[in-house]
């Protein structure tokens, strides 16, 4: 088969059809490239109490009707099956995960599933002031909070209505509740918040937080913004170093997509997540579960495996585990952005980042 230069970097097995193998239950979930896939990002809802410009289009958002979403019992069935297939870490996301009814009880039940070792959440923090304590008590290990600007007016514009004071109150509540280490995320969009990169990085000189700068990804509904707005990690680092001096590389975790640094002497860390300009597919350890019950195999591709139909047809945990393992087997190597292949089916608010 004639292979073009970009596809030639992908192992040949990527193009071969596969049988569904049978598994011993104690086998770890490895994909066909040998990557151990043990991290499931679980979208609890596609709804949100903000409308961030890089996440949702201004108009035309359609949300899944409630009967299409997995119920709590169905979600727990999937988590049990995923744990049996070797998944160890969960991250709850959305949409906004704290909008999910019974979120506290749901987290307690997920954390109690044998095999699940770590449960984290990515949230906009608008509801954390009240929820941080109960979530910690229920077994939540830590949170990532999205905060794109330190200027209340700009924050409101970028999130189309978000209240920065509430976010700070949520971060403080998370800190007091012990949801450590706290990580803060900002998506940097040229012409919107790129002038605040130095101030955002400076938070790590005052707090032991990790501040993560995320490149805009071209998901459905915001692809145009991504084209104009991507600021590479190299450019961000250059701006930060121009102010603070050379950054010190900080112990890299191979399972973490962020390249980590420290401002010399700072108690916190900086992280740079560059899915577009510096992809981390080779160390990918994750899959996503959409709120409507599909395993989404790669954030920036459309490939999915339906679990909800099997569940609603009465599949057992063991049968769902087999489907999860099959999904891991057919996980694509990586995204197709270099070939111009963009995801077309779901937006970020349906996938959870
Ligand atoms: N609502 C929660 C929040 O905002 O933290 C969780 C869901 S949100 C989709 C998860 C993460 O995706 C957030 O950190 C958000 O900043 C990021 N995100 C959303 N759209 C993005 C895009 N187009 N490119 C890169 N990151 C994006
Ligand atoms: Fe909502 Fe999070 Fe998307 Fe912002 S990034 S619109 S808070 S889901």
């Amino acid at each position: 088969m004639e292979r073009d230069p970009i596809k030639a970097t992908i192992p040949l097995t990527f193009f071969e059809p596969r049988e569904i193998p049978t598994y011993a239950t104690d086998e770890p979930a490895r994909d066909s490239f040998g990557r151990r896939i043990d991290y499931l990002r679980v979208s609890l809802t596609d709804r949100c109490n903000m409308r961030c410009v890089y996440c949702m289009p201004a108009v035309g958002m359609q949300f899944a009707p409630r009967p299409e979403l997995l119920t709590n019992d169905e979600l727990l069935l999937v988590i049990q099956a995923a744990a049996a297939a070797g998944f160890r870490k969960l991250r709850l996301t959305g949409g906004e995960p704290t909008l999910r009814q019974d979120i506290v009880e749901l987290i307690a039940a997920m954390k109690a599933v044998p095999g699940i070792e770590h449960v984290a959440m990515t949230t906009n923090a608008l509801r954390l002031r009240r929820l941080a304590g109960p979530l910690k008590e229920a077994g939540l290990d830590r949170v990532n909070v999205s905060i794109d600007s330190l200027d209340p007016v700009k924050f409101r514009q970028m999130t189309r209505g978000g209240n920065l004071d509430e976010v700070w109150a949520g971060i403080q509540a998370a800190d007091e509740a012990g949801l450590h280490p706290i990580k803060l995320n900002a998506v940097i969009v040229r012409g919107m918040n790129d002038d605040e990169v130095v101030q955002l990085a400076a938070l790590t000189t005052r707090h032991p937080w990790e501040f993560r700068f995320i490149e805009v990804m071209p998901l459905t509904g915001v692809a145009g913004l991504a084209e104009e707005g991507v600021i590479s990690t190299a450019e961000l680092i250059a701006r930060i170093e121009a102010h603070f001096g050379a950054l010190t590389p900080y112990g890299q975790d191979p399972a973490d997509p962020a390249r980590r640094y420290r401002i010399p002497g700072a108690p916190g860390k900086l992280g740079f997540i560059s899915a577009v300009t510096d992809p981390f597919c080779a160390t990918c350890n994750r899959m996503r579960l959409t709120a409507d019950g599909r395993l989404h195999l790669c954030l920036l591709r459309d490939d999915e495996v339906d679990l909800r139909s099997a569940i609603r047809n009465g599949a057992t945990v063991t049968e769902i585990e087999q489907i999860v393992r099959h999904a891991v087997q057919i996980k694509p190597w990586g995204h197709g952005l270099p070939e111009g292949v963009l995801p077309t089916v779901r937006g970020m608010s349906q996938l959870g980042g």
Side-chain angles (χ1 to χ4, degrees):
M1 175 171 52
E2 189 68 21
R3 306 183 77 205
D4 71 43
I6 292 163
K7 282 190 183 149
T9 62
I10 300 173
L12 269 172
T13 49
F14 185 74
F15 301 98
E16 290 167 3
R18 293 187 193 89
E19 302 275 306
I20 304 177
T22 43
Y23 302 92
T25 46
D26 56 352
E27 252 179 70
R30 282 188 192 274
D31 73 1
S32 60
F33 306 100
R35 295 174 297 190
R36 170 132 199 217
I37 310 300
D38 61 1
Y39 174 23
L40 188 63
R41 297 180 64 101
V42 180
S43 172
L44 294 180
T45 173
D46 58 351
R47 288 160 202 265
C48 191
N49 43 6
M50 303 213 289
R51 293 284 183 277
C52 302
V53 290
Y54 48 75
C55 182
M56 293 195 194
V59 288
M61 268 313 287
Q62 292 194 333
F63 299 101
R66 247 165 247 288
E68 289 190 9
L69 304 188
L70 293 185
T71 64
N72 286 357
D73 286 346
E74 290 170 336
L75 257 172
L76 286 169
L77 187 61
V78 175
I79 303 305
Q80 284 167 10
F87 283 79
R88 296 289 167 259
K89 177 177 168 186
L90 304 178
R91 174 170 296 278
L92 309 179
T93 174
E96 176 47 40
T98 57
L99 294 184
R100 179 92 184 196
Q101 273 191 343
D102 305 331
I103 179 72
V104 174
E105 293 76 10
L106 190 56
I107 285 181
M110 286 182 176
K111 192 68 188 288
V113 170
I116 295 301
E117 294 166 1
H118 188 87
V119 181
M121 178 187 277
T122 300
T123 172
N124 62 28
L126 286 183
R127 304 190 77 207
L128 265 194
R129 184 206 290 258
R130 185 178 63 78
L131 279 175
L135 288 174
K136 175 72 183 174
E137 272 174 41
L140 185 68
D141 290 292
R142 41 172 304 273
V143 285
N144 283 23
V145 173
S146 302
I147 177 166
D148 299 313
S149 171
L150 303 178
D151 170 354
V153 175
K154 201 190 296 176
F155 184 82
R156 190 173 285 282
Q157 285 165 353
M158 280 192 80
T159 57
R160 299 201 187 93
N163 179 332
L164 187 60
D165 286 343
E166 275 309 307
V167 174
W168 279 120
I171 293 170
Q172 196 179 339
D175 216 352
E176 284 164 11
L179 290 165
H180 300 144
I182 290 182
K183 297 186 183 178
L184 305 183
N185 295 340
V187 177
I188 302 298
V189 185
R190 198 181 292 282
M192 288 189 187
N193 60 347
D194 61 315
D195 56 337
E196 287 191 67
V197 166
V198 167
Q199 289 101 302
L200 292 169
L203 289 174
T204 66
T205 64
R206 302 192 292 276
H207 304 278
W209 301 332
E210 179 168 326
F211 200 96
R212 296 147 67 99
F213 296 93
I214 304 176
E215 278 180 4
V216 193
M217 289 178 241
L219 270 293
T220 308
V222 300
L225 181 73
E227 260 166 45
E228 295 156 27
V230 172
I231 301 195
S232 69
T233 290
E235 184 177 341
L236 289 177
I237 290 180
R239 289 195 196 183
I240 295 169
E241 289 193 328
H243 189 85
F244 292 105
L247 299 181
T248 319
Y250 184 85
Q252 197 59 48
D253 171 359
D256 183 354
R259 311 264 185 267
R260 297 196 296 176
Y261 297 85
R262 220 188 248 291
I263 293 172
K269 302 177 199 104
L270 299 175
F272 298 88
I273 302 183
S274 340
V276 179
T277 63
D278 186 12
F280 35 84
C281 309
T283 54
C284 186
N285 63 345
R286 61 200 59 196
M287 287 205 320
R288 292 166 173 82
L289 177 69
T290 64
D292 59 356
R294 267 74 175 172
L295 283 174
H296 192 91
L297 308 187
C298 166
L299 177 60
L300 290 161
R301 285 195 185 264
D302 289 332
D303 312 43
E304 293 192 340
V305 170
D306 179 15
L307 296 181
R308 193 187 65 195
S309 302
I311 294 170
R312 293 191 178 171
N313 283 321
T316 62
V317 174
T318 309
E319 286 162 345
I320 305 290
E321 178 199 340
Q322 295 288 315
I323 304 174
V324 173
R325 286 186 181 271
H326 170 61
V328 169
Q329 268 291 309
I330 62 169
K331 178 175 163 63
W333 166 254
H335 64 65
L337 299 184
E339 302 147 80
V341 179
L342 292 180
T344 57
V345 175
R346 293 185 190 261
M348 192 63 108
S349 58
Q350 297 168 302
L351 293 169

